[in-house]
Amino acid sequence: MIDKKNLSERDICTKFITPAIEKAGWDKHTQLLEEVSFTDGKIFVRGRLTARGKAKRADYILYYKPNIPIAIVEAKDNNHSIRSGIQQALDYARILDIPCVFSSNGDGFLFHDRSSDNQNIEQELSLDDFPTPDRLWQIYKKYKGITTTEEETIVSQEYYFDGSGRRPRYYQQIAVNRTIESIAKGQNRLLLVMATGTGKTYTAFQIIHRLWKSGTKKRILFLADRNALIDQTKRGDFKHFKDKMTVVKQRMVDKSYEIYLALYQGLSGSEDDKNVYKQFSPDFFDLIVIDECHRGSAKEDSAWREILTYFNNATHIGLTATPKETKETSNTEYFGDPVYTYSLKQGIDDGFLAPYRVIRVGLNIDLEGWRPPKGFKDKNGNEVEDRMYNRSDFDRTIVVDERTDLVAQKVTEFLKGYDRYAKTIIFCVDIDHAERMRSALTRYNADLVNENYKYIMQITGDNDEGKRELDNFINPEERFPVIATTSELMTTGVDAQTCKVIVLDANINSMTKFKQIIGRGTRINEEFGKMYFTILDFRNATDLFADKEFDGDPIRVKPVSEKDPIDTVIDEEEKDEESVTDTDTGEKVDFVKPTVRYPTGGSDDKNKFKEPREKIYVNGVDVSILISREMYFDNTGKPITVSLKDYTKEIIKGQFSSLNDFLKSWNNAERKEAIISELQQQGVMVEALYQAVDRQVDLFDLICHVAYDMPPLTRKERANNVKKRNYFTKYGEQARKVLEALLDKYADEGITNIESMEVLRLNPFDEIGSPLEIINQFGSKEKYLDAVRELETELYKAV
């Protein structure tokens, strides 16, 4: 008879859990997935180095049909109780929107029914009593409020599979399933909020395809406001509709198709004969999907809203990354509350979106204002009005040549230190500003512009040459253009997968616009080394991070002074650490340099753009960079308004009310890394504290110093204190060498490195012997770990 206590968790799954599930009637090919990683693992960044945290992984997910998950099972080995996995399983079930939750150790199952509100919410089941697919489907229907056969037919319609093996991500599944379920139950106005870069169009395609295939919706209109969005949609996810799909062009209507793609502008106009949509009967479309619905359609009095009003009987689905709520404009008033929201912060935490760092550059005339001297004249010889000009004036009402030049100089300096071929978007105040910025950058990058004049391109709505290069800019395979100067054209709907730098030199007062601009950089492309992006902020636009509506916190915000070489900001961080603790799992992940593959290749309406007012152009102004204070963000992404030390002290004392409490927890901890991880999760910014104290100390001394006013000792001072005592004499010669090497490793790198068994594979330990040989010097692995713990005790004897 098998002794379950000696079996691994995987053995328990293979020999007991999987057979029990299959015996209940679950098809292992279509309904049962094991070891399902449903996130990619958060990306951590130090300098140019990146590391991925651990992905969230479910032991089993059970599906009624592919992509319709109805149950989750968390497995443990038989040394755990049958209930041990239930809390983790419930957390995953909440994330994945799954009603049926199981925990097992191979003896049976604990079943938690999230649809139940009575004492039957949890019950134990034997291995022979695992529920059938039909039984759990009934629970799923109850959980989702599906009550009729017609509703069930709609929500159980298959997803589209193209044979490539592509599967929707978990949040796309939830968005699709919730939308289908809501429509099945009669809801006709729906809003989906999904961060830029999370696949809204693919999600829309699956929604439309399932409703179309089930016969629920027969004729569908997909509305967008830019040609680029329509073209991307047609060539991308919607291509599977083939000859059933058409794009409405040149105000020509063919009513023989089933799927229609159209621009708002192509359907409406100021005159009745331009209102092409009226060529369709009001009941022609069953479903209308409105992409980027935060734009024109959100306004109640807009011409675009007239289209939706005309097709009032159709189901309307709004898609946006940034729902708009102002006195004049409201998405939720029209569509209702979102049926599902997947935020920028969640996308970054899951590892599906790129994190970002922020470098803030404050110019003297922006921060202090500029008043022209008496009699100061502009470039045309006209006297400039005597008043104080500030950031909101520059490049809008008054142009200071030196300011434009300094911004171009600093951007170039950054790219030279980072990557001169990093795709970069510079957001300017208007088209005139974008033109001048292109010229200034050309002067500072003459070598690469001579190599290819498309190295820097102005891509704005009035510039046909630039607009033709937009596709090349967003194509990862095309090397040029590298730098794009723009104003409004590239704020939304531009799928720039490899954009690594975003420069903000425009005054941004709209949270919606700010989020859209940030979204230009959030896509990940590992093949081309795009794992994170950098924001260079010349206008303090990143003050919007403090707004309660913003939900994606940056890695770090670093202001620079005129004396700071902006190209070394990233390199300095690279020196700090070789690994980082994943705050979700407490595990260490190593940083690696990304492998970059460079490409080998070399609004869209027709309105003429005019500047709203005549500008004043001046030169001869002293423009420089002022020193700014460093900004830090708490673990919710909001700026810290008190001093860093006071903020940290408050967190630590919330965890440990006295020094004795902290010392007791520290000394009793099996691994000090666990305490470090816990404090980081609470929001303690370890790297920033190291810089503030400016000494080679470890986190123990930082905490004692910052929270309890104890003088800090450096790691070398602590190591030397241990060496002065006769601590090593009880060990043999080889064991002493190992402990002395560990002590030196602590002095150089800190406590977390000596706690890892992996350290034994590194120099100088590899010269002493193999990990197994080193452990044998102590008698056993347990005795080696005891020796490490005793070494830690010696290190922290004296506070």
Side-chain angles (χ1 to χ4, degrees):
M1 186 173 177
I2 298 175
D3 184 357
K4 291 182 180 178
K5 301 295 182 186
N6 294 327
L7 296 180
S8 67
E9 180 183 301
R10 183 89 312 254
D11 287 337
I12 291 292
C13 290
T14 302
K15 296 179 184 299
F16 298 98
I17 299 176
T18 302
I21 296 172
E22 290 181 3
K23 184 181 176 183
W26 295 84
D27 186 319
K28 66 180 179 181
H29 300 295
T30 61
Q31 293 183 303
L32 191 159
L33 285 181
E34 293 189 57
E35 297 186 294
V36 185
S37 293
F38 57 88
T39 71
D40 278 358
K42 185 175 182 177
I43 297 170
F44 298 93
V45 182
R46 293 289 182 278
R48 292 179 185 81
L49 307 179
T50 60
R52 273 206 186 266
K54 191 174 181 179
K56 286 186 171 69
R57 192 196 72 178
D59 290 320
Y60 296 84
I61 297 181
L62 307 183
Y63 299 82
Y64 181 67
K65 287 186 176 181
N67 294 306
I68 304 177
I70 61 176
I72 187 167
V73 183
E74 183 61 30
K76 298 294 180 184
D77 65 40
N78 201 251
N79 293 299
H80 293 79
S81 76
I82 199 172
R83 297 176 177 81
S84 289
I86 197 65
Q87 292 192 143
Q88 182 177 336
L90 281 167
D91 184 44
Y92 287 174
R94 174 190 57 80
I95 295 170
L96 300 172
D97 198 23
I98 291 174
C100 303
V101 188
F102 296 86
S103 170
S104 179
N105 66 350
D107 288 340
F109 296 93
L110 180 69
F111 172 35
H112 183 107
D113 179 359
R114 295 180 69 216
S115 73
S116 176
D117 56 3
N118 57 43
Q119 292 183 353
N120 293 325
I121 191 169
E122 270 188 9
Q123 54 186 308
E124 287 192 26
L125 304 173
S126 71
L127 289 175
D128 292 331
D129 289 332
F130 193 84
T132 64
D134 283 340
R135 181 184 169 196
L136 295 191
W137 177 243
Q138 297 308 313
I139 293 173
Y140 181 88
K141 289 194 294 181
K142 176 186 174 185
Y143 176 72
K144 293 291 189 175
I146 299 163
T147 57
T148 69
T149 303
E150 183 183 3
E151 291 171 6
E152 182 176 357
T153 300
I154 296 170
V155 303
S156 61
Q157 173 62 44
E158 303 274 1
Y159 275 68
Y160 178 82
F161 292 95
D162 61 7
S164 68
R166 181 183 185 184
R167 293 168 46 86
R169 292 171 173 169
Y170 83 87
Y171 61 85
Q172 293 169 334
Q173 280 183 358
I174 298 172
V176 172
N177 292 340
R178 285 193 184 177
T179 303
I180 298 291
E181 289 153 7
S182 297
I183 291 172
K185 291 184 284 187
Q187 190 171 331
N188 278 324
R189 299 291 181 269
L190 303 98
L191 179 65
L192 275 177
V193 178
M194 296 171 67
T196 300
T198 56
K200 288 190 296 295
T201 309
Y202 175 68
T203 302
F205 165 73
Q206 289 289 3
I207 291 168
I208 292 170
H209 195 275
R210 289 180 67 192
L211 291 171
W212 179 60
K213 274 295 184 183
S214 69
T216 309
K217 306 295 179 185
K218 295 179 176 60
R219 287 193 288 253
I220 295 118
L221 173 64
F222 182 90
L223 276 177
D225 70 335
R226 297 195 173 184
N227 278 324
L229 294 174
I230 292 294
D231 292 341
Q232 285 176 22
T233 301
K234 180 187 176 185
R235 295 196 311 265
D237 298 311
F238 279 47
K239 67 187 177 206
H240 303 295
F241 286 123
K242 299 178 182 176
D243 59 355
K244 303 295 182 183
M245 176 178 65
T246 187
V247 176
V248 178
K249 290 181 178 178
Q250 300 175 336
R251 305 187 180 275
M252 300 293 291
V253 168
D254 183 339
K255 299 178 184 177
S256 63
Y257 292 90
E258 296 175 53
I259 312 294
Y260 292 78
L261 309 182
L263 288 174
Y264 289 109
Q265 302 95 312
L267 294 183
S268 64
S270 56
E271 302 165 17
D272 280 346
D273 62 345
K274 291 183 179 179
N275 286 330
V276 178
Y277 67 89
K278 291 184 178 178
Q279 294 182 37
F280 298 102
S281 69
D283 294 324
F284 185 84
F285 293 110
D286 305 303
L287 173 66
I288 300 178
V289 178
I290 305 97
D291 196 21
E292 305 290 358
C293 69
H294 62 279
R295 295 171 69 82
S297 62
K299 294 183 178 179
E300 194 170 339
D301 59 352
S302 72
W304 298 349
R305 179 70 76 84
E306 290 179 12
I307 299 173
L308 303 185
T309 302
Y310 182 79
F311 298 114
N312 187 58
N313 292 333
T315 298
H316 297 174
I317 302 174
L319 306 176
T320 183
T322 52
K324 200 165 187 178
E325 298 299 322
T326 67
K327 290 180 180 178
E328 299 80 23
T329 304
S330 173
N331 283 130
T332 57
E333 185 177 320
Y334 183 81
F335 292 104
D337 291 331
V339 293
Y340 184 60
T341 297
Y342 188 72
S343 69
L344 173 63
K345 184 178 189 303
Q346 190 62 54
I348 292 173
D349 287 346
D350 286 345
F352 295 128
L353 295 180
Y356 51 94
R357 64 177 72 249
V358 180
I359 300 172
R360 291 173 63 137
V361 185
L363 306 181
N364 61 336
I365 62 172
D366 288 0
L367 301 177
E368 298 176 344
W370 175 71
R371 183 178 179 184
K374 186 176 181 181
F376 189 90
K377 294 183 179 180
D378 67 15
K379 292 167 74 172
N380 292 324
N382 301 314
E383 190 166 322
V384 177
E385 180 186 353
D386 180 16
R387 69 174 180 86
M388 186 65 75
Y389 295 90
N390 56 38
R391 186 165 51 218
S392 63
D393 294 304
F394 298 128
D395 298 297
R396 186 177 63 91
T397 60
I398 187 167
V399 173
V400 178
D401 284 352
E402 289 79 6
R403 188 191 181 286
T404 307
D405 189 76
L406 185 55
V407 171
Q409 178 187 334
K410 279 293 175 182
V411 171
T412 303
E413 186 180 299
F414 174 80
L415 290 176
K416 284 182 175 179
Y418 173 53
D419 176 3
R420 293 190 77 186
Y421 287 94
K423 295 275 179 135
T424 300
I425 304 175
I426 302 179
F427 289 96
C428 301
V429 169
D430 55 24
I431 291 169
D432 168 69
H433 187 199
E435 287 177 351
R436 290 182 291 101
M437 185 60 69
R438 191 207 66 82
S439 294
L441 285 162
T442 297
R443 292 195 297 273
Y444 282 105
N445 294 275
D447 55 338
L448 296 185
V449 173
N450 281 334
E451 177 188 325
N452 190 318
Y453 78 94
K454 293 180 181 179
Y455 177 75
I456 305 166
M457 292 293 292
Q458 173 196 339
I459 302 180
T460 51
D462 71 327
N463 189 295
D464 290 337
E465 174 71 16
K467 283 197 293 185
R468 283 194 292 270
E469 290 300 322
L470 179 58
D471 282 346
N472 288 331
F473 181 84
I474 65 179
N475 183 355
E477 298 290 343
E478 293 291 339
R479 192 163 199 175
F480 299 100
V482 174
I483 301 173
T485 66
T486 189
S487 56
E488 294 291 336
L489 183 64
M490 298 177 72
T491 57
T492 187
V494 176
D495 185 5
Q497 293 179 26
T498 54
C499 177
K500 295 182 179 180
V501 183
I502 288 177
V503 180
L504 303 178
D505 196 24
N507 300 307
I508 304 169
N509 300 314
S510 160
M511 177 58 72
T512 298
K513 184 177 178 180
F514 181 63
K515 282 187 175 182
Q516 288 287 337
I517 287 174
I518 298 301
R520 298 314 102 209
T522 54
R523 287 172 175 83
I524 294 168
N525 189 315
E526 299 194 32
E527 181 184 0
F528 288 87
K530 165 65 185 301
M531 300 293 286
Y532 69 95
F533 66 105
T534 302
I535 300 169
L536 300 182
D537 180 14
F538 289 89
R539 299 268 180 164
N540 279 14
T542 50
D543 283 345
L544 287 169
F545 286 141
D547 194 295
K548 65 181 184 336
E549 292 181 34
F550 195 82
D551 61 1
D553 47 316
I555 303 163
R556 182 183 183 196
V557 175
K558 168 78 176 178
V560 297
S561 70
E562 187 169 24
K563 295 179 181 178
D564 291 333
I566 198 170
D567 57 321
T568 63
V569 170
I570 288 177
D571 291 319
E572 287 303 312
E573 290 184 17
E574 222 168 272
K575 300 172 186 174
D576 291 345
E577 297 181 52
E578 295 178 354
S579 61
V580 69
T581 301
D582 185 336
T583 52
D584 276 341
T585 65
E587 295 184 10
K588 296 192 78 174
V589 288
D590 295 326
F591 289 111
V592 295
K593 281 189 181 292
T595 301
V596 181
R597 180 169 84 80
Y598 288 109
T600 55
S603 165
D604 306 81
D605 60 34
K606 301 298 181 183
N607 295 336
K608 293 297 179 184
F609 290 74
K610 297 179 182 178
E611 301 299 342
R613 68 188 72 188
E614 192 172 329
K615 296 183 184 180
I616 303 166
Y617 293 83
V618 301
N619 56 18
V621 178
D622 177 29
V623 181
S624 60
I625 297 174
L626 292 181
I627 295 174
S628 304
R629 74 177 182 88
E630 184 124 7
M631 287 189 66
Y632 299 101
F633 287 70
D634 63 23
N635 59 350
T636 66
K638 303 307 177 189
I640 297 167
T641 54
V642 298
S643 74
L644 182 63
K645 287 186 178 180
D646 287 344
Y647 170 77
T648 306
K649 188 173 186 175
E650 183 180 339
I651 292 177
I652 293 169
K653 288 205 163 182
Q655 290 283 103
F656 312 103
S657 59
S658 68
L659 177 60
N660 283 337
D661 285 344
F662 171 68
L663 292 176
K664 185 177 178 181
S665 295
W666 183 269
N667 290 327
N668 290 340
E670 188 82 4
R671 290 171 63 86
K672 314 305 181 194
E673 189 178 350
I675 292 183
I676 295 172
S677 175
E678 184 179 349
L679 288 171
Q680 286 177 321
Q681 283 182 300
Q682 294 296 322
V684 172
M685 275 155 286
V686 178
E687 294 167 60
L689 279 176
Y690 280 140
Q691 292 178 3
V693 174
D694 196 28
R695 297 188 73 195
Q696 292 297 309
V697 300
D698 69 12
L699 189 61
F700 174 85
D701 282 281
L702 276 176
I703 291 171
C704 292
H705 174 63
V706 170
Y708 308 108
D709 299 318
M710 301 298 294
L713 296 176
T714 66
R715 293 193 300 269
K716 285 189 177 178
E717 286 170 339
R718 287 197 173 276
N720 287 333
N721 286 342
V722 174
K723 290 177 181 178
K724 289 174 187 176
R725 297 191 284 269
N726 293 323
Y727 160 66
F728 295 125
T729 54
K730 63 181 179 178
Y731 292 100
E733 182 181 351
Q734 288 299 103
R736 280 203 304 273
K737 281 186 181 179
V738 174
L739 292 171
E740 286 169 357
L742 284 172
L743 204 55
D744 290 338
K745 185 67 74 173
Y746 161 80
D748 290 339
E749 300 177 12
I751 194 68
T752 57
N753 287 313
I754 72 168
E755 289 187 329
S756 170
M757 295 291 290
E758 290 299 312
V759 75
L760 299 181
R761 300 182 186 278
L762 306 177
N763 187 273
F765 302 98
D766 57 352
E767 297 174 0
I768 299 173
S770 69
L772 183 59
E773 289 171 337
I774 290 172
I775 288 170
N776 287 339
Q777 294 294 326
F778 293 85
S780 68
K781 179 180 177 180
E782 190 53 45
K783 287 182 179 179
Y784 166 77
L785 293 174
D786 286 341
V788 172
R789 284 190 284 268
E790 191 176 348
L791 176 60
E792 290 178 340
T793 301
E794 290 293 319
L795 277 169
Y796 299 113
K797 262 186 176 177
V799 179

